[in-house]
Amino acid sequence: MAALEVALLTDDFGITYVAENHSRATNVLYSITGAWSALEGSIVLWALILAGYTAVVLRQVRTTDDRLGTGALAVMGVVGVFFFGLVATVANPFGLEAVPPTDGAGGNPLLQDHVMVAFHPPMLYLGYVGFTVPFAFAMSALLLRQGGVDWLRRTRRANLVAWTSLTAGLVLGAWWSYEVLGWGGYWAWDPVENAALIPWLVATAFIHSAVVQIKRGMLQAWNFVLVLATFSLTILGTFLTRSSVVVSVHSFSQSPIGPALLGFFVLVLVVGFTLFALRGERIASMSRPESLVSREGAFLVNNLLLSLFAFVVLLGTVYPILVEAIVGSQVSVGRPFFDRMAVPLSFALLLAMGAGPFMPYRRATGALLWNRLRIPLLAGSTAAAAVVVAGVRSVGVVAVVLLAVTIAAAAVRQFVVTLPSATPRAALHLLRGQRAYWGGQLAHLGVAVVALAIAVSGGLATRASENLDLGGSLEFDGYSVTFDKTEEHREADRLITDAHLVFRTGDRVDYVATPRLTAFDNQPQAIGAPSVWNRPSGDIYVALSNLEPDSVAVNVYEYPLMSWLWAGGVLMAAGGLWALGGRRRRPAETTSTVSGPVGADGHA
């Protein structure tokens, strides 16, 4: 990676990768990010991160007597051989030009228009590659016929790092799409977006079921299945992104590594699940949840819903590929399918998430649940009623407000009743003493905020489209929007044309939106970028569909509570980071790290 960065920063066009994905006019930031902005460099980044995770595991394995750790290193070594083999063969970034050009072709313009390219891909890769660690330990445990929770304890930190990174990568990707692409949204159920969401859903299920196994000794076989599925889905996601089987703004076309990745995916599936079939009966958990009305029962329901959600998204993503491969005809699965399936599953997940963490283990009585949830339900019902009184008539929005506020209020109520005293020091001590539990509650709170933002910004959004001549106006959301002027400015490798649209209330200028079209020297088609006015009540989003010196075709959107979506994503990632903290436990320790606090009613 260092060699590749040096080649990019020194304009070494004798290297094919540099000649095809860089130019002298590229600034320093995008020269650096160019190392992972195309196919071969992205595989180098994957291999680099995999080497980092392997080094961390190597520090844990201090002797060959540690058979579980040694086996895990062997599995990680096999994965490493595959990815380094890609770098050395079909994804070699150091191929040489027969006649080095004086300048390069330049990179993908979409990857040179926002600083997020420096953060979104590396965070996704930290998540994707991180799931190699629990996969390696799970395979080692299966090979050794070694059940129990040791492999779960030893991979807890890697799980949380990978999950937190993938969460952050998904949120940053949605923000990037919203801020750069100018189509008026942040998630389009694009096949490559789905390829990152699917392993995130399965990994979330695994993190929850790992809690149940460590605490109650249940769901061990299910945990092995989830780990194998998560890692397999990261390879499948890499195949979708790095091959030409899907048309996506994210994918690299005409990729030579598609067959290799597909073959490795099949190999992982066959070897992993064959080994599980041969060993699973010996290491399966004998105990079962006493009742579905319990914390472990709620976690099981939550896991089934997450897995079903992942399967639905996977089916909608790969179905067109399978149909074209088998019968040769092209079909499409669009947004209506995903929305129709995702909405009811999301409501069910919110219900399970709202009640599960506040149930005791083994069995919950109706009186106990009512005692713990009556105040949160009252808060949620009050918020929903207030929304209806305010004029909202969307059933979906009202239902999400009810569930989201109930979840948030339940977490606050649980925190208050478990506080030993109402002081900041006592609160901090409680949070530090139960990092796993309260990190989970913080992540749940983030999910509730994200769900609320998605429902409100989508269900209550308004839109206007207009063709404006110079000096022309439209009325939108209480503002008079006037096309004031166009302005051009030249940068090293692009010509940027801004349209100035002035938002006024009476004679007062409230905001000047400057959506733009950028014409890159190496790209015949200009690329649009929106202007986003972030307000506490919601965003005003302005995008261009056409721009002339004296006229403009403009789309204006108003998205209520849009900033809450990004705040919720930050809370989710912060929950993972908080749960990650605390002292490291040695593999030999058997004390549970995940038990929740004891409430005022005496139930854990």
Side-chain angles (χ1 to χ4, degrees):
M1 180 59 78
L4 191 56
E5 291 286 11
V6 169
L8 288 164
L9 290 169
T10 59
D11 301 328
D12 188 351
F13 298 115
I15 295 174
T16 301
Y17 183 88
V18 179
E20 292 178 349
N21 301 288
H22 177 69
S23 70
R24 296 185 186 278
T26 306
N27 66 31
V28 173
L29 172 63
Y30 298 123
S31 294
I32 294 171
T33 61
W36 54 80
S37 295
L39 172 64
E40 294 84 358
S42 69
I43 301 299
V44 174
L45 179 62
W46 184 295
L48 175 66
I49 294 174
L50 179 60
Y53 277 113
T54 306
V56 172
V57 174
L58 186 60
R59 291 190 61 189
Q60 298 179 11
V61 184
R62 301 185 180 277
T63 170
T64 53
D65 293 334
D66 179 5
R67 298 181 66 208
L68 181 65
T70 304
L73 278 174
V75 175
M76 294 188 75
V78 171
V79 178
V81 164
F82 172 75
F83 279 98
F84 277 93
L86 292 180
V87 173
T89 55
V90 293
N92 180 7
F94 297 105
L96 301 179
E97 291 285 278
V99 180
T102 57
D103 199 358
N108 184 341
L110 286 174
L111 303 180
Q112 299 185 60
D113 203 32
H114 200 283
V115 69
M116 200 52 62
V117 71
F119 303 100
H120 166 59
M123 293 303 293
L124 280 181
Y125 280 37
L126 279 171
Y128 262 42
V129 183
F131 291 118
T132 308
V133 178
F135 167 76
F137 274 91
M139 291 291 287
S140 179
L142 287 172
L143 287 166
L144 297 171
R145 296 185 176 89
Q146 182 175 329
V149 299
D150 191 22
W151 72 276
L152 289 174
R153 293 189 190 283
R154 296 183 66 172
T155 59
R156 176 180 174 274
R157 285 175 176 264
N159 289 334
L160 288 173
V161 168
W163 183 88
T164 302
S165 300
L166 190 53
T167 300
L170 285 167
V171 174
L172 291 175
W175 185 44
W176 188 5
S177 177
Y178 179 72
E179 291 276 347
V180 171
L181 298 184
W183 59 280
Y186 50 85
W187 189 268
W189 297 108
D190 178 278
V192 181
E193 291 174 344
N194 296 347
L197 177 64
I198 296 166
W200 182 87
L201 290 168
V202 180
T204 304
F206 168 62
I207 287 175
H208 284 81
S209 63
V211 171
V212 177
Q213 183 179 341
I214 293 174
K215 181 65 179 177
R216 299 279 290 128
M218 300 174 181
L219 306 182
Q220 179 166 251
W222 181 238
N223 280 326
F224 279 112
V225 170
L226 289 176
V227 160
L228 295 177
T230 300
F231 180 74
S232 301
L233 288 167
T234 65
I235 302 301
L236 178 62
T238 309
F239 165 71
L240 292 175
T241 309
R242 301 304 183 271
S243 68
S244 55
V245 298
V246 297
V247 177
S248 165
V249 69
H250 302 81
S251 62
F252 300 108
S253 61
Q254 303 303 317
S255 167
I257 71 169
L261 285 168
L262 183 60
F264 188 62
F265 167 70
V266 173
L267 179 67
V268 169
L269 279 182
V270 171
V271 173
F273 283 97
T274 299
L275 187 60
F276 172 76
L278 295 175
R279 301 283 199 266
E281 186 177 351
R282 295 174 176 266
I283 59 177
S285 305
M286 299 304 295
S287 56
R288 299 288 186 271
E290 296 179 18
S291 170
L292 285 179
V293 188
S294 62
R295 189 177 301 181
E296 56 265 49
F299 278 8
L300 178 59
V301 172
N302 181 75
N303 280 6
L304 293 174
L305 289 171
L306 285 166
S307 301
L308 178 60
F309 201 155
F311 174 76
V312 167
V313 179
L314 177 63
L315 179 64
T317 303
V318 304
Y319 178 75
I321 302 171
L322 294 176
V323 169
E324 185 173 0
I326 295 172
V327 302
S329 61
Q330 292 187 343
V331 298
S332 63
V333 176
R335 182 168 195 138
F337 167 81
F338 290 107
D339 286 346
R340 192 178 302 116
M341 301 301 294
V343 169
L345 286 171
S346 298
F347 277 114
L349 279 168
L350 285 173
L351 281 170
M353 187 181 73
F358 309 107
M359 292 182 180
Y361 285 103
R362 295 185 175 86
R363 186 180 297 273
T365 64
L368 176 64
L369 286 178
W370 176 245
N371 180 51
R372 291 188 175 184
L373 294 176
R374 61 182 177 181
I375 294 177
L377 283 171
L378 177 62
S381 301
T382 302
V387 168
V388 173
V389 171
V392 175
R393 294 295 180 263
S394 170
V395 175
V397 172
V398 174
V400 171
V401 169
L402 170 64
L403 291 172
V405 174
T406 300
I407 291 169
V412 172
R413 181 258 174 203
Q414 188 74 0
F415 183 72
V416 170
V417 300
T418 52
L419 268 177
S421 61
T423 64
R425 185 173 183 178
L428 187 59
H429 179 74
L430 175 63
L431 292 173
R432 286 177 173 173
Q434 300 288 346
R435 281 184 175 269
Y437 180 84
W438 291 112
Q441 290 312 301
L442 185 59
H444 286 179
L445 179 61
V447 172
V449 173
V450 167
L452 183 62
I454 291 173
V456 173
S457 65
L460 305 181
T462 56
R463 172 183 174 177
S465 298
E466 195 74 43
N467 294 316
L468 297 176
D469 293 326
L470 196 62
S473 299
L474 66 91
E475 298 299 317
F476 182 80
D477 196 37
Y479 298 100
S480 175
V481 184
T482 304
F483 176 30
D484 186 54
K485 63 178 179 179
T486 60
E487 190 173 74
E488 290 186 352
H489 53 279
R490 179 77 193 182
E491 295 185 3
D493 58 347
R494 68 197 74 180
L495 177 66
I496 301 173
T497 307
D498 296 328
H500 289 238
L501 293 137
V502 182
F503 286 71
R504 290 186 175 91
T505 306
D507 294 330
R508 185 185 67 200
V509 175
D510 296 283
Y511 178 68
V512 178
T514 55
R516 68 181 186 271
L517 291 178
T518 303
F520 285 80
D521 295 342
N522 69 333
Q523 182 82 10
Q525 183 70 35
I527 295 173
S531 177
V532 183
W533 180 14
N534 304 116
R535 306 176 303 166
S537 60
D539 288 359
I540 296 288
Y541 186 99
V542 185
L544 302 175
S545 54
N546 188 46
L547 177 61
E548 302 292 341
D550 56 356
S551 67
V552 64
V554 63
N555 298 313
V556 187
Y557 308 81
E558 198 268 334
Y559 293 124
L561 301 187
M562 192 65 201
S563 60
W564 288 39
L565 178 60
W566 321 125
V570 170
L571 284 176
M572 291 169 63
L577 290 175
W578 186 258
L580 182 63
R583 74 182 183 92
R584 185 188 300 274
R585 290 179 178 267
R586 295 185 178 88
E589 290 186 281
T590 58
T591 303
S592 174
T593 64
V594 296
S595 57
V598 177
D601 48 26
H603 290 84

